[in-house]
PDB file of all heavy atoms in Angstrom:
ATOM      1  N   MET A 111     -82.508 120.527  30.452  1.00  0.00           N
ATOM      2  CA  MET A 111     -83.511 119.507  30.739  1.00  0.00           C
ATOM      3  C   MET A 111     -84.532 119.978  31.767  1.00  0.00           C
ATOM      4  O   MET A 111     -84.323 120.976  32.460  1.00  0.00           O
ATOM      5  CB  MET A 111     -82.811 118.238  31.250  1.00  0.00           C
ATOM      6  CG  MET A 111     -81.963 117.531  30.207  1.00  0.00           C
ATOM      7  SD  MET A 111     -80.889 116.234  30.919  1.00  0.00           S
ATOM      8  CE  MET A 111     -82.122 115.117  31.619  1.00  0.00           C
ATOM      9  N   ARG A 112     -85.609 119.252  31.863  1.00  0.00           N
ATOM     10  CA  ARG A 112     -86.612 119.523  32.891  1.00  0.00           C
ATOM     11  C   ARG A 112     -86.002 119.355  34.279  1.00  0.00           C
ATOM     12  O   ARG A 112     -85.056 118.577  34.458  1.00  0.00           O
ATOM     13  CB  ARG A 112     -87.780 118.546  32.740  1.00  0.00           C
ATOM     14  CG  ARG A 112     -88.623 118.772  31.506  1.00  0.00           C
ATOM     15  CD  ARG A 112     -89.634 117.671  31.296  1.00  0.00           C
ATOM     16  NE  ARG A 112     -90.358 117.300  32.506  1.00  0.00           N
ATOM     17  CZ  ARG A 112     -91.502 116.630  32.505  1.00  0.00           C
ATOM     18  NH1 ARG A 112     -92.047 116.258  31.352  1.00  0.00           N
ATOM     19  NH2 ARG A 112     -92.103 116.317  33.630  1.00  0.00           N
ATOM     20  N   PRO A 113     -86.524 120.075  35.267  1.00  0.00           N
ATOM     21  CA  PRO A 113     -85.970 119.958  36.630  1.00  0.00           C
ATOM     22  C   PRO A 113     -86.023 118.545  37.193  1.00  0.00           C
ATOM     23  O   PRO A 113     -85.218 118.203  38.064  1.00  0.00           O
ATOM     24  CB  PRO A 113     -86.847 120.915  37.444  1.00  0.00           C
ATOM     25  CG  PRO A 113     -87.355 121.904  36.444  1.00  0.00           C
ATOM     26  CD  PRO A 113     -87.558 121.126  35.187  1.00  0.00           C
ATOM     27  N   ASP A 114     -86.953 117.735  36.693  1.00  0.00           N
ATOM     28  CA  ASP A 114     -87.038 116.356  37.172  1.00  0.00           C
ATOM     29  C   ASP A 114     -86.392 115.378  36.194  1.00  0.00           C
ATOM     30  O   ASP A 114     -86.533 114.165  36.341  1.00  0.00           O
ATOM     31  CB  ASP A 114     -88.501 115.960  37.408  1.00  0.00           C
ATOM     32  CG  ASP A 114     -89.340 116.041  36.136  1.00  0.00           C
ATOM     33  OD1 ASP A 114     -88.895 116.682  35.148  1.00  0.00           O
ATOM     34  OD2 ASP A 114     -90.451 115.476  36.120  1.00  0.00           O
ATOM     35  N   GLY A 115     -85.652 115.906  35.207  1.00  0.00           N
ATOM     36  CA  GLY A 115     -85.034 115.048  34.209  1.00  0.00           C
ATOM     37  C   GLY A 115     -83.847 114.277  34.747  1.00  0.00           C
ATOM     38  O   GLY A 115     -83.184 114.698  35.695  1.00  0.00           O
ATOM     39  N   VAL A 116     -83.568 113.140  34.102  1.00  0.00           N
ATOM     40  CA  VAL A 116     -82.448 112.282  34.503  1.00  0.00           C
ATOM     41  C   VAL A 116     -81.504 112.115  33.320  1.00  0.00           C
ATOM     42  O   VAL A 116     -81.924 111.735  32.218  1.00  0.00           O
ATOM     43  CB  VAL A 116     -82.934 110.905  34.981  1.00  0.00           C
ATOM     44  CG1 VAL A 116     -81.747 109.996  35.307  1.00  0.00           C
ATOM     45  CG2 VAL A 116     -83.831 111.052  36.209  1.00  0.00           C
ATOM     46  N   LEU A 117     -80.239 112.393  33.570  1.00  0.00           N
ATOM     47  CA  LEU A 117     -79.199 112.232  32.561  1.00  0.00           C
ATOM     48  C   LEU A 117     -78.455 110.928  32.817  1.00  0.00           C
ATOM     49  O   LEU A 117     -77.930 110.701  33.907  1.00  0.00           O
ATOM     50  CB  LEU A 117     -78.214 113.404  32.626  1.00  0.00           C
ATOM     51  CG  LEU A 117     -76.944 113.266  31.788  1.00  0.00           C
ATOM     52  CD1 LEU A 117     -77.273 113.321  30.298  1.00  0.00           C
ATOM     53  CD2 LEU A 117     -75.927 114.343  32.150  1.00  0.00           C
ATOM     54  N   THR A 118     -78.393 110.070  31.794  1.00  0.00           N
ATOM     55  CA  THR A 118     -77.612 108.840  31.852  1.00  0.00           C
ATOM     56  C   THR A 118     -76.339 109.056  31.054  1.00  0.00           C
ATOM     57  O   THR A 118     -76.389 109.286  29.847  1.00  0.00           O
ATOM     58  CB  THR A 118     -78.400 107.651  31.267  1.00  0.00           C
ATOM     59  OG1 THR A 118     -79.589 107.449  32.027  1.00  0.00           O
ATOM     60  CG2 THR A 118     -77.564 106.381  31.283  1.00  0.00           C
ATOM     61  N   ALA A 119     -75.198 109.020  31.731  1.00  0.00           N
ATOM     62  CA  ALA A 119     -73.910 109.214  31.062  1.00  0.00           C
ATOM     63  C   ALA A 119     -73.116 107.924  31.141  1.00  0.00           C
ATOM     64  O   ALA A 119     -72.951 107.355  32.223  1.00  0.00           O
ATOM     65  CB  ALA A 119     -73.127 110.348  31.722  1.00  0.00           C
ATOM     66  N   LEU A 120     -72.650 107.457  29.990  1.00  0.00           N
ATOM     67  CA  LEU A 120     -71.852 106.245  30.002  1.00  0.00           C
ATOM     68  C   LEU A 120     -70.487 106.499  29.374  1.00  0.00           C
ATOM     69  O   LEU A 120     -70.344 107.311  28.461  1.00  0.00           O
ATOM     70  CB  LEU A 120     -72.583 105.098  29.306  1.00  0.00           C
ATOM     71  CG  LEU A 120     -72.911 105.224  27.813  1.00  0.00           C
ATOM     72  CD1 LEU A 120     -71.850 104.526  26.984  1.00  0.00           C
ATOM     73  CD2 LEU A 120     -74.269 104.618  27.523  1.00  0.00           C
ATOM     74  N   ASP A 121     -69.493 105.822  29.889  1.00  0.00           N
ATOM     75  CA  ASP A 121     -68.124 106.018  29.411  1.00  0.00           C
ATOM     76  C   ASP A 121     -67.315 104.765  29.730  1.00  0.00           C
ATOM     77  O   ASP A 121     -67.507 104.147  30.786  1.00  0.00           O
ATOM     78  CB  ASP A 121     -67.490 107.235  30.094  1.00  0.00           C
ATOM     79  CG  ASP A 121     -66.359 107.839  29.282  1.00  0.00           C
ATOM     80  OD1 ASP A 121     -65.405 107.101  28.955  1.00  0.00           O
ATOM     81  OD2 ASP A 121     -66.422 109.037  28.970  1.00  0.00           O
ATOM     82  N   GLY A 122     -66.426 104.401  28.824  1.00  0.00           N
ATOM     83  CA  GLY A 122     -65.571 103.256  29.055  1.00  0.00           C
ATOM     84  C   GLY A 122     -64.291 103.589  29.788  1.00  0.00           C
ATOM     85  O   GLY A 122     -63.467 102.701  30.041  1.00  0.00           O
ATOM     86  N   ASP A 123     -64.133 104.864  30.158  1.00  0.00           N
ATOM     87  CA  ASP A 123     -62.954 105.319  30.890  1.00  0.00           C
ATOM     88  C   ASP A 123     -63.382 105.702  32.302  1.00  0.00           C
ATOM     89  O   ASP A 123     -64.074 106.704  32.493  1.00  0.00           O
ATOM     90  CB  ASP A 123     -62.331 106.526  30.180  1.00  0.00           C
ATOM     91  CG  ASP A 123     -61.024 106.980  30.821  1.00  0.00           C
ATOM     92  OD1 ASP A 123     -60.784 106.663  31.997  1.00  0.00           O
ATOM     93  OD2 ASP A 123     -60.252 107.679  30.138  1.00  0.00           O
ATOM     94  N   PRO A 124     -62.975 104.936  33.306  1.00  0.00           N
ATOM     95  CA  PRO A 124     -63.421 105.228  34.671  1.00  0.00           C
ATOM     96  C   PRO A 124     -62.957 106.603  35.156  1.00  0.00           C
ATOM     97  O   PRO A 124     -63.653 107.243  35.947  1.00  0.00           O
ATOM     98  CB  PRO A 124     -62.812 104.100  35.505  1.00  0.00           C
ATOM     99  CG  PRO A 124     -61.691 103.561  34.673  1.00  0.00           C
ATOM    100  CD  PRO A 124     -62.115 103.739  33.262  1.00  0.00           C
ATOM    101  N   ALA A 125     -61.799 107.067  34.697  1.00  0.00           N
ATOM    102  CA  ALA A 125     -61.317 108.382  35.112  1.00  0.00           C
ATOM    103  C   ALA A 125     -62.242 109.475  34.601  1.00  0.00           C
ATOM    104  O   ALA A 125     -62.506 110.476  35.289  1.00  0.00           O
ATOM    105  CB  ALA A 125     -59.892 108.609  34.608  1.00  0.00           C
ATOM    106  N   GLU A 126     -62.755 109.304  33.384  1.00  0.00           N
ATOM    107  CA  GLU A 126     -63.677 110.282  32.828  1.00  0.00           C
ATOM    108  C   GLU A 126     -64.992 110.301  33.613  1.00  0.00           C
ATOM    109  O   GLU A 126     -65.578 111.360  33.846  1.00  0.00           O
ATOM    110  CB  GLU A 126     -63.952 109.971  31.360  1.00  0.00           C
ATOM    111  CG  GLU A 126     -62.797 110.270  30.430  1.00  0.00           C
ATOM    112  CD  GLU A 126     -62.577 111.759  30.260  1.00  0.00           C
ATOM    113  OE1 GLU A 126     -63.276 112.378  29.447  1.00  0.00           O
ATOM    114  OE2 GLU A 126     -61.719 112.314  30.974  1.00  0.00           O
ATOM    115  N   LEU A 127     -65.443 109.127  34.023  1.00  0.00           N
ATOM    116  CA  LEU A 127     -66.663 109.068  34.828  1.00  0.00           C
ATOM    117  C   LEU A 127     -66.460 109.728  36.186  1.00  0.00           C
ATOM    118  O   LEU A 127     -67.348 110.431  36.683  1.00  0.00           O
ATOM    119  CB  LEU A 127     -67.106 107.612  35.020  1.00  0.00           C
ATOM    120  CG  LEU A 127     -67.856 106.956  33.857  1.00  0.00           C
ATOM    121  CD1 LEU A 127     -68.245 105.537  34.237  1.00  0.00           C
ATOM    122  CD2 LEU A 127     -69.096 107.755  33.472  1.00  0.00           C
ATOM    123  N   ARG A 128     -65.290 109.528  36.774  1.00  0.00           N
ATOM    124  CA  ARG A 128     -65.011 110.179  38.052  1.00  0.00           C
ATOM    125  C   ARG A 128     -64.986 111.697  37.882  1.00  0.00           C
ATOM    126  O   ARG A 128     -65.484 112.431  38.749  1.00  0.00           O
ATOM    127  CB  ARG A 128     -63.667 109.685  38.616  1.00  0.00           C
ATOM    128  CG  ARG A 128     -63.704 108.265  39.154  1.00  0.00           C
ATOM    129  CD  ARG A 128     -62.479 107.962  40.000  1.00  0.00           C
ATOM    130  NE  ARG A 128     -61.247 107.997  39.208  1.00  0.00           N
ATOM    131  CZ  ARG A 128     -60.737 106.944  38.567  1.00  0.00           C
ATOM    132  NH1 ARG A 128     -61.352 105.780  38.613  1.00  0.00           N
ATOM    133  NH2 ARG A 128     -59.602 107.063  37.898  1.00  0.00           N
ATOM    134  N   ALA A 129     -64.422 112.162  36.772  1.00  0.00           N
ATOM    135  CA  ALA A 129     -64.394 113.597  36.508  1.00  0.00           C
ATOM    136  C   ALA A 129     -65.809 114.139  36.340  1.00  0.00           C
ATOM    137  O   ALA A 129     -66.130 115.241  36.819  1.00  0.00           O
ATOM    138  CB  ALA A 129     -63.555 113.889  35.267  1.00  0.00           C
ATOM    139  N   ALA A 130     -66.659 113.388  35.669  1.00  0.00           N
ATOM    140  CA  ALA A 130     -68.047 113.820  35.499  1.00  0.00           C
ATOM    141  C   ALA A 130     -68.772 113.866  36.830  1.00  0.00           C
ATOM    142  O   ALA A 130     -69.507 114.819  37.119  1.00  0.00           O
ATOM    143  CB  ALA A 130     -68.774 112.884  34.533  1.00  0.00           C
ATOM    144  N   ARG A 131     -68.558 112.854  37.659  1.00  0.00           N
ATOM    145  CA  ARG A 131     -69.199 112.834  38.983  1.00  0.00           C
ATOM    146  C   ARG A 131     -68.749 114.046  39.806  1.00  0.00           C
ATOM    147  O   ARG A 131     -69.563 114.684  40.486  1.00  0.00           O
ATOM    148  CB  ARG A 131     -68.870 111.533  39.704  1.00  0.00           C
ATOM    149  CG  ARG A 131     -69.522 111.429  41.088  1.00  0.00           C
ATOM    150  CD  ARG A 131     -69.264 110.087  41.737  1.00  0.00           C
ATOM    151  NE  ARG A 131     -69.998 109.016  41.073  1.00  0.00           N
ATOM    152  CZ  ARG A 131     -69.452 108.088  40.301  1.00  0.00           C
ATOM    153  NH1 ARG A 131     -68.144 108.099  40.078  1.00  0.00           N
ATOM    154  NH2 ARG A 131     -70.184 107.152  39.745  1.00  0.00           N
ATOM    155  N   ARG A 132     -67.474 114.367  39.743  1.00  0.00           N
ATOM    156  CA  ARG A 132     -66.971 115.536  40.477  1.00  0.00           C
ATOM    157  C   ARG A 132     -67.623 116.815  39.955  1.00  0.00           C
ATOM    158  O   ARG A 132     -68.012 117.683  40.745  1.00  0.00           O
ATOM    159  CB  ARG A 132     -65.452 115.625  40.328  1.00  0.00           C
ATOM    160  CG  ARG A 132     -64.842 116.851  41.006  1.00  0.00           C
ATOM    161  CD  ARG A 132     -63.329 116.877  40.859  1.00  0.00           C
ATOM    162  NE  ARG A 132     -62.766 118.088  41.424  1.00  0.00           N
ATOM    163  CZ  ARG A 132     -61.477 118.394  41.421  1.00  0.00           C
ATOM    164  NH1 ARG A 132     -60.597 117.556  40.885  1.00  0.00           N
ATOM    165  NH2 ARG A 132     -61.052 119.523  41.953  1.00  0.00           N
ATOM    166  N   ALA A 133     -67.751 116.923  38.630  1.00  0.00           N
ATOM    167  CA  ALA A 133     -68.363 118.115  38.050  1.00  0.00           C
ATOM    168  C   ALA A 133     -69.805 118.275  38.510  1.00  0.00           C
ATOM    169  O   ALA A 133     -70.243 119.385  38.855  1.00  0.00           O
ATOM    170  CB  ALA A 133     -68.297 118.042  36.523  1.00  0.00           C
ATOM    171  N   PHE A 134     -70.559 117.180  38.524  1.00  0.00           N
ATOM    172  CA  PHE A 134     -71.957 117.257  38.937  1.00  0.00           C
ATOM    173  C   PHE A 134     -72.066 117.601  40.426  1.00  0.00           C
ATOM    174  O   PHE A 134     -72.944 118.367  40.835  1.00  0.00           O
ATOM    175  CB  PHE A 134     -72.665 115.933  38.644  1.00  0.00           C
ATOM    176  CG  PHE A 134     -72.676 115.543  37.190  1.00  0.00           C
ATOM    177  CD1 PHE A 134     -72.696 114.214  36.806  1.00  0.00           C
ATOM    178  CD2 PHE A 134     -72.659 116.517  36.200  1.00  0.00           C
ATOM    179  CE1 PHE A 134     -72.697 113.859  35.476  1.00  0.00           C
ATOM    180  CE2 PHE A 134     -72.661 116.167  34.849  1.00  0.00           C
ATOM    181  CZ  PHE A 134     -72.670 114.827  34.489  1.00  0.00           C
ATOM    182  N   THR A 135     -71.171 117.042  41.220  1.00  0.00           N
ATOM    183  CA  THR A 135     -71.183 117.334  42.659  1.00  0.00           C
ATOM    184  C   THR A 135     -70.876 118.802  42.911  1.00  0.00           C
ATOM    185  O   THR A 135     -71.557 119.472  43.701  1.00  0.00           O
ATOM    186  CB  THR A 135     -70.170 116.447  43.392  1.00  0.00           C
ATOM    187  OG1 THR A 135     -70.522 115.075  43.202  1.00  0.00           O
ATOM    188  CG2 THR A 135     -70.149 116.760  44.876  1.00  0.00           C
ATOM    189  N   GLU A 136     -69.841 119.322  42.247  1.00  0.00           N
ATOM    190  CA  GLU A 136     -69.474 120.717  42.438  1.00  0.00           C
ATOM    191  C   GLU A 136     -70.574 121.667  41.970  1.00  0.00           C
ATOM    192  O   GLU A 136     -70.708 122.774  42.499  1.00  0.00           O
ATOM    193  CB  GLU A 136     -68.170 121.019  41.695  1.00  0.00           C
ATOM    194  CG  GLU A 136     -66.955 120.358  42.310  1.00  0.00           C
ATOM    195  CD  GLU A 136     -65.665 120.739  41.603  1.00  0.00           C
ATOM    196  OE1 GLU A 136     -65.726 121.451  40.571  1.00  0.00           O
ATOM    197  OE2 GLU A 136     -64.592 120.324  42.076  1.00  0.00           O
ATOM    198  N   ALA A 137     -71.360 121.235  40.982  1.00  0.00           N
ATOM    199  CA  ALA A 137     -72.454 122.067  40.488  1.00  0.00           C
ATOM    200  C   ALA A 137     -73.692 121.981  41.379  1.00  0.00           C
ATOM    201  O   ALA A 137     -74.672 122.705  41.150  1.00  0.00           O
ATOM    202  CB  ALA A 137     -72.823 121.651  39.065  1.00  0.00           C
ATOM    203  N   GLY A 138     -73.662 121.095  42.373  1.00  0.00           N
ATOM    204  CA  GLY A 138     -74.813 120.940  43.258  1.00  0.00           C
ATOM    205  C   GLY A 138     -75.948 120.166  42.632  1.00  0.00           C
ATOM    206  O   GLY A 138     -77.099 120.295  43.059  1.00  0.00           O
ATOM    207  N   THR A 139     -75.642 119.327  41.638  1.00  0.00           N
ATOM    208  CA  THR A 139     -76.681 118.550  40.970  1.00  0.00           C
ATOM    209  C   THR A 139     -77.163 117.430  41.892  1.00  0.00           C
ATOM    210  O   THR A 139     -76.352 116.640  42.388  1.00  0.00           O
ATOM    211  CB  THR A 139     -76.129 117.917  39.677  1.00  0.00           C
ATOM    212  OG1 THR A 139     -75.592 118.943  38.839  1.00  0.00           O
ATOM    213  CG2 THR A 139     -77.215 117.163  38.928  1.00  0.00           C
ATOM    214  N   PRO A 140     -78.455 117.336  42.155  1.00  0.00           N
ATOM    215  CA  PRO A 140     -78.956 116.246  43.003  1.00  0.00           C
ATOM    216  C   PRO A 140     -78.566 114.888  42.435  1.00  0.00           C
ATOM    217  O   PRO A 140     -78.607 114.678  41.219  1.00  0.00           O
ATOM    218  CB  PRO A 140     -80.482 116.450  42.966  1.00  0.00           C
ATOM    219  CG  PRO A 140     -80.662 117.906  42.654  1.00  0.00           C
ATOM    220  CD  PRO A 140     -79.538 118.258  41.725  1.00  0.00           C
ATOM    221  N   SER A 141     -78.191 113.978  43.296  1.00  0.00           N
ATOM    222  CA  SER A 141     -77.701 112.675  42.840  1.00  0.00           C
ATOM    223  C   SER A 141     -78.734 111.923  42.012  1.00  0.00           C
ATOM    224  O   SER A 141     -78.387 111.147  41.118  1.00  0.00           O
ATOM    225  CB  SER A 141     -77.278 111.825  44.038  1.00  0.00           C
ATOM    226  OG  SER A 141     -78.370 111.624  44.928  1.00  0.00           O
ATOM    227  N   GLY A 142     -80.004 112.141  42.280  1.00  0.00           N
ATOM    228  CA  GLY A 142     -81.049 111.449  41.545  1.00  0.00           C
ATOM    229  C   GLY A 142     -81.220 111.905  40.116  1.00  0.00           C
ATOM    230  O   GLY A 142     -81.951 111.280  39.347  1.00  0.00           O
ATOM    231  N   ARG A 143     -80.533 112.987  39.725  1.00  0.00           N
ATOM    232  CA  ARG A 143     -80.670 113.504  38.365  1.00  0.00           C
ATOM    233  C   ARG A 143     -79.631 112.946  37.407  1.00  0.00           C
ATOM    234  O   ARG A 143     -79.697 113.226  36.207  1.00  0.00           O
ATOM    235  CB  ARG A 143     -80.606 115.032  38.365  1.00  0.00           C
ATOM    236  CG  ARG A 143     -81.783 115.709  39.050  1.00  0.00           C
ATOM    237  CD  ARG A 143     -81.954 117.120  38.507  1.00  0.00           C
ATOM    238  NE  ARG A 143     -82.236 117.083  37.081  1.00  0.00           N
ATOM    239  CZ  ARG A 143     -82.078 118.135  36.270  1.00  0.00           C
ATOM    240  NH1 ARG A 143     -81.607 119.275  36.764  1.00  0.00           N
ATOM    241  NH2 ARG A 143     -82.356 118.041  34.988  1.00  0.00           N
ATOM    242  N   THR A 144     -78.669 112.198  37.921  1.00  0.00           N
ATOM    243  CA  THR A 144     -77.645 111.634  37.044  1.00  0.00           C
ATOM    244  C   THR A 144     -77.476 110.148  37.320  1.00  0.00           C
ATOM    245  O   THR A 144     -77.621 109.679  38.440  1.00  0.00           O
ATOM    246  CB  THR A 144     -76.288 112.334  37.237  1.00  0.00           C
ATOM    247  OG1 THR A 144     -75.861 112.203  38.592  1.00  0.00           O
ATOM    248  CG2 THR A 144     -76.377 113.807  36.869  1.00  0.00           C
ATOM    249  N   ARG A 145     -77.170 109.424  36.256  1.00  0.00           N
ATOM    250  CA  ARG A 145     -76.878 107.999  36.356  1.00  0.00           C
ATOM    251  C   ARG A 145     -75.618 107.744  35.537  1.00  0.00           C
ATOM    252  O   ARG A 145     -75.622 107.904  34.312  1.00  0.00           O
ATOM    253  CB  ARG A 145     -78.051 107.180  35.807  1.00  0.00           C
ATOM    254  CG  ARG A 145     -77.865 105.685  35.914  1.00  0.00           C
ATOM    255  CD  ARG A 145     -79.132 104.918  35.570  1.00  0.00           C
ATOM    256  NE  ARG A 145     -79.632 105.190  34.233  1.00  0.00           N
ATOM    257  CZ  ARG A 145     -80.317 104.308  33.491  1.00  0.00           C
ATOM    258  NH1 ARG A 145     -80.589 103.120  33.987  1.00  0.00           N
ATOM    259  NH2 ARG A 145     -80.730 104.627  32.287  1.00  0.00           N
ATOM    260  N   LEU A 146     -74.529 107.415  36.211  1.00  0.00           N
ATOM    261  CA  LEU A 146     -73.249 107.212  35.551  1.00  0.00           C
ATOM    262  C   LEU A 146     -72.974 105.723  35.413  1.00  0.00           C
ATOM    263  O   LEU A 146     -73.020 104.984  36.396  1.00  0.00           O
ATOM    264  CB  LEU A 146     -72.134 107.887  36.349  1.00  0.00           C
ATOM    265  CG  LEU A 146     -72.314 109.392  36.610  1.00  0.00           C
ATOM    266  CD1 LEU A 146     -71.142 109.940  37.398  1.00  0.00           C
ATOM    267  CD2 LEU A 146     -72.479 110.150  35.314  1.00  0.00           C
ATOM    268  N   ILE A 147     -72.695 105.298  34.176  1.00  0.00           N
ATOM    269  CA  ILE A 147     -72.521 103.877  33.888  1.00  0.00           C
ATOM    270  C   ILE A 147     -71.180 103.654  33.217  1.00  0.00           C
ATOM    271  O   ILE A 147     -70.857 104.294  32.207  1.00  0.00           O
ATOM    272  CB  ILE A 147     -73.652 103.355  32.978  1.00  0.00           C
ATOM    273  CG1 ILE A 147     -75.031 103.596  33.624  1.00  0.00           C
ATOM    274  CG2 ILE A 147     -73.461 101.867  32.698  1.00  0.00           C
ATOM    275  CD1 ILE A 147     -76.182 103.196  32.732  1.00  0.00           C
ATOM    276  N   PHE A 148     -70.399 102.733  33.764  1.00  0.00           N
ATOM    277  CA  PHE A 148     -69.123 102.371  33.169  1.00  0.00           C
ATOM    278  C   PHE A 148     -69.356 101.293  32.120  1.00  0.00           C
ATOM    279  O   PHE A 148     -70.000 100.272  32.376  1.00  0.00           O
ATOM    280  CB  PHE A 148     -68.164 101.858  34.238  1.00  0.00           C
ATOM    281  CG  PHE A 148     -66.903 101.261  33.678  1.00  0.00           C
ATOM    282  CD1 PHE A 148     -65.937 102.062  33.090  1.00  0.00           C
ATOM    283  CD2 PHE A 148     -66.698  99.893  33.726  1.00  0.00           C
ATOM    284  CE1 PHE A 148     -64.778 101.511  32.561  1.00  0.00           C
ATOM    285  CE2 PHE A 148     -65.538  99.338  33.210  1.00  0.00           C
ATOM    286  CZ  PHE A 148     -64.582 100.150  32.626  1.00  0.00           C
ATOM    287  N   GLY A 149     -68.832 101.541  30.903  1.00  0.00           N
ATOM    288  CA  GLY A 149     -68.958 100.548  29.850  1.00  0.00           C
ATOM    289  C   GLY A 149     -69.013 101.179  28.481  1.00  0.00           C
ATOM    290  O   GLY A 149     -69.210 102.389  28.340  1.00  0.00           O
ATOM    291  N   THR A 150     -68.832 100.363  27.470  1.00  0.00           N
ATOM    292  CA  THR A 150     -68.906 100.825  26.092  1.00  0.00           C
ATOM    293  C   THR A 150     -70.366 100.812  25.627  1.00  0.00           C
ATOM    294  O   THR A 150     -71.220 100.146  26.245  1.00  0.00           O
ATOM    295  CB  THR A 150     -68.088  99.910  25.176  1.00  0.00           C
ATOM    296  OG1 THR A 150     -68.712  98.607  25.164  1.00  0.00           O
ATOM    297  CG2 THR A 150     -66.654  99.777  25.659  1.00  0.00           C
ATOM    298  N   PRO A 151     -70.677 101.532  24.530  1.00  0.00           N
ATOM    299  CA  PRO A 151     -72.048 101.474  24.012  1.00  0.00           C
ATOM    300  C   PRO A 151     -72.515 100.046  23.729  1.00  0.00           C
ATOM    301  O   PRO A 151     -73.665  99.700  24.014  1.00  0.00           O
ATOM    302  CB  PRO A 151     -71.961 102.309  22.729  1.00  0.00           C
ATOM    303  CG  PRO A 151     -70.890 103.305  23.011  1.00  0.00           C
ATOM    304  CD  PRO A 151     -69.869 102.536  23.825  1.00  0.00           C
ATOM    305  N   ALA A 152     -71.623  99.211  23.193  1.00  0.00           N
ATOM    306  CA  ALA A 152     -72.015  97.830  22.893  1.00  0.00           C
ATOM    307  C   ALA A 152     -72.422  97.083  24.151  1.00  0.00           C
ATOM    308  O   ALA A 152     -73.330  96.238  24.130  1.00  0.00           O
ATOM    309  CB  ALA A 152     -70.863  97.101  22.199  1.00  0.00           C
TER     310      ALA A 152
END
Side-chain angles (χ1 to χ4, degrees):
M111 292 168 61
R112 291 172 46 162
D114 61 344
V116 176
L117 170 68
T118 299
L120 63 96
D121 204 304
D123 185 339
E126 288 289 278
L127 280 181
R128 287 194 295 271
R131 181 176 289 108
R132 177 179 176 181
F134 300 150
T135 299
E136 290 183 355
T139 304
S141 59
R143 293 204 61 199
T144 59
R145 182 171 58 150
L146 303 180
I147 303 176
F148 171 71
T150 66

